[in-house]
Structures are given as C-alpha cells and as structure tokens.
Amino acid sequence: MVSEDEITRAVRQWRDAAPEMVLLDGFHALKHALRFGADVRVAISSDKGAILGLADELAGDVADRLDDLVIEVPTATYRDLVPRVHPTQVAGLAVRPEPRRNLAVLSGAPRPAPVVVLENPRNLGNVGAVVRLAAGFGATGVVTTGDMDPWHPNVVRAAAGLHYATAVESLQLDDLPPGPVYALDPEGDDIRSVTLPDDALLAFGSERHGISPELRKGATKLVALPMRPQVSSYNLATSVAMALFHWGGPPPVP
C-alpha cells in the first residue's frame, strides 16, 4: 500500500523534473526505455496492478524494476500530471542522453550500420515511427535537420521509447556524421541495383518536396525506391523501412 507521503514525494518529484526530462508515455515506452539503459527518475500509474500484469505477460525482464519504480497515484492526480492519458495509464520521466554521447556514436568508425537522415521532417508521428524502425533494424541512429525536436514527447510516444535503443539527434546539414550519403530521390538508380554500405548515411526528404538541392548536390549517390507509375510517394516511415530492409538489418538470432 502506497502511503500519502510517498504519493506526495512522487508528485513533487514529477513536477520538479518534468520540464527537463523525457516523457515516457505508456507501458511500451517505459518498458523499452528501461530495457535499453535509460535513467528513469520517476514513474507513476493510476493502476499499478494492471501495469505489473502487463509486465508479467509482455516484459518479464523488467517486471521487478517496474515494481520498484512505479508509484500508484489517484486517477485525478495522474490525469493532472500527464498531458494526455495513455490507454495503459502509466508514464515515466527519464534523463535525455547528452548530445555528445549520441554524436560520438553517430560519428564512430568503423560504423557497423547506417545512419538515417531525415531532412526537415514535419510530422512528429512519422519521425517516431522512423526511430522505432531504426532501433528494430539496428541502425546506428537517426539524425533530423530543421527545427523539429526529435525528442518531442509525441515523437517519443510514436517511437515507443526506443530513442534509448539508438542515437537520435538534430543537426545542421553541414554537420552530418562522416560517410557516403545515399539520398532517396525518384531520379536515382533503382535501390535494388545498389549495395548500401554499412557506413552509409541514408537520407530522406519530405513526401511533398523530397530532398533539397543542397542535399542532392552533396550526395554520393541518388537511389530510388521501386514505385508504380502515377503513385505520388510513399509514407516517410515506409520508405525508411524499405531502404533499411534492402541494406540488410541485424543478423538473425540463433
């Protein structure tokens, strides 16, 4: 049974930490963050029993940590603390990795897997879906250019907390990690005829405008995804998935 003092401390800690921390909204975001080493400072739920039931069913590897971490608070308190209530009714706050750590990963050599570059993306959900793909395929990381924060709560939500399973940063186009740039463009060579090296930067523009003239000029090679005539474009996350699948992805688990 959680005491009133414990609830009060958790609420105070949440309010103090929220402006500077990464919001892990929902069971899967919290689960993945814990699995991949996030420093989760506080977690709350309006139904801890349901969360532990989910953990027993879906995430036994972190069940004990969730039991120790999650504080049950009244439903009204929970709704007051989170901007939007996730159906699983659990949320956490974690430390955002230092940019220099992510930059070291992104720029490391030799690089065993590509970096996905999203040029000036506009849709938060699409960016989150790309982060989730990058984590699943074992990509080195995801870099965005432009003014969107790739650690925005809606991006983290769409990525199910998998920012902690890869390196995610925002950079200027001139500051991209080293490596050959393979930019997706309808005028490029069919990607099926191209071998994508492990140290490639796989660069994607927006569905509407594609890559910029600057990125096109600096690209090592333009490559195109197969597409039926008169179809305008693929969704951004779909395009990333196709390119990463063509690259190869992680080796099968024995």
Side-chain angles (χ1 to χ4, degrees):
M1 188 73 176
V2 181
S3 69
E4 289 296 326
D5 286 345
E6 287 178 295
I7 293 174
T8 299
R9 283 196 299 271
V11 170
R12 184 184 303 115
Q13 186 178 6
W14 185 281
R15 293 190 190 281
D16 290 345
E20 304 298 327
M21 295 280 180
V22 176
L23 175 64
L24 303 169
D25 192 15
F27 174 77
H28 292 295
L30 181 57
K31 168 195 73 178
H32 282 139
L34 288 172
R35 274 184 179 162
F36 291 99
D39 181 3
V40 181
R41 296 294 175 87
V42 59
I44 56 172
S45 174
S46 57
D47 189 348
K48 182 174 179 177
I51 297 308
L52 297 182
L54 280 174
D56 287 339
E57 180 182 357
L58 302 173
D61 56 313
V62 296
D64 288 343
R65 295 166 70 191
L66 285 168
D67 192 11
D68 291 338
L69 182 66
V70 175
I71 299 295
E72 182 167 307
V73 299
T75 299
T77 302
Y78 182 82
R79 292 180 178 275
D80 185 51
L81 292 175
V82 297
R84 180 173 60 161
V85 176
H86 191 276
T88 56
Q89 300 184 64
V90 66
L93 295 175
V95 177
R96 178 171 174 170
E98 291 191 9
R100 61 184 179 183
R101 174 265 180 194
N102 280 338
L103 292 175
V105 172
L106 292 165
S107 300
R111 197 161 53 222
V115 172
V116 176
V117 177
L118 306 180
E119 186 182 27
N120 198 27
R122 310 311 304 162
N123 185 284
L124 295 164
N126 269 346
V127 176
V130 169
V131 171
R132 194 167 186 171
L133 282 164
F137 273 97
T140 296
V142 177
V143 169
T144 64
T145 71
D147 56 7
M148 178 187 288
D149 179 10
W151 286 82
H152 186 281
N154 288 357
V155 180
V156 178
R157 182 182 177 120
L162 283 163
H163 285 59
Y164 292 93
T166 188
V168 181
E169 281 299 330
S170 178
L171 297 172
Q172 298 300 316
L173 199 58
D174 292 339
D175 297 326
L176 294 179
V181 178
Y182 285 71
L184 277 289
D185 186 87
E187 297 179 5
D189 295 335
D190 190 315
I191 196 170
R192 293 170 294 184
S193 68
V194 177
T195 298
L196 299 174
D198 291 344
D199 65 345
L201 305 181
L202 304 180
F204 300 81
S206 66
E207 291 102 325
R208 177 173 295 183
H209 301 295
I211 59 173
S212 68
E214 293 79 11
L215 182 54
R216 181 190 301 270
K217 182 179 179 181
T220 305
K221 192 172 188 63
L222 300 179
V223 293
L225 297 171
M227 185 184 296
R228 181 180 177 181
Q230 297 185 318
V231 174
S232 300
S233 67
Y234 293 121
N235 172 271
L236 176 61
T238 300
S239 298
V240 174
M242 293 171 72
L244 286 174
F245 185 83
H246 176 70
W247 162 68
V253 176

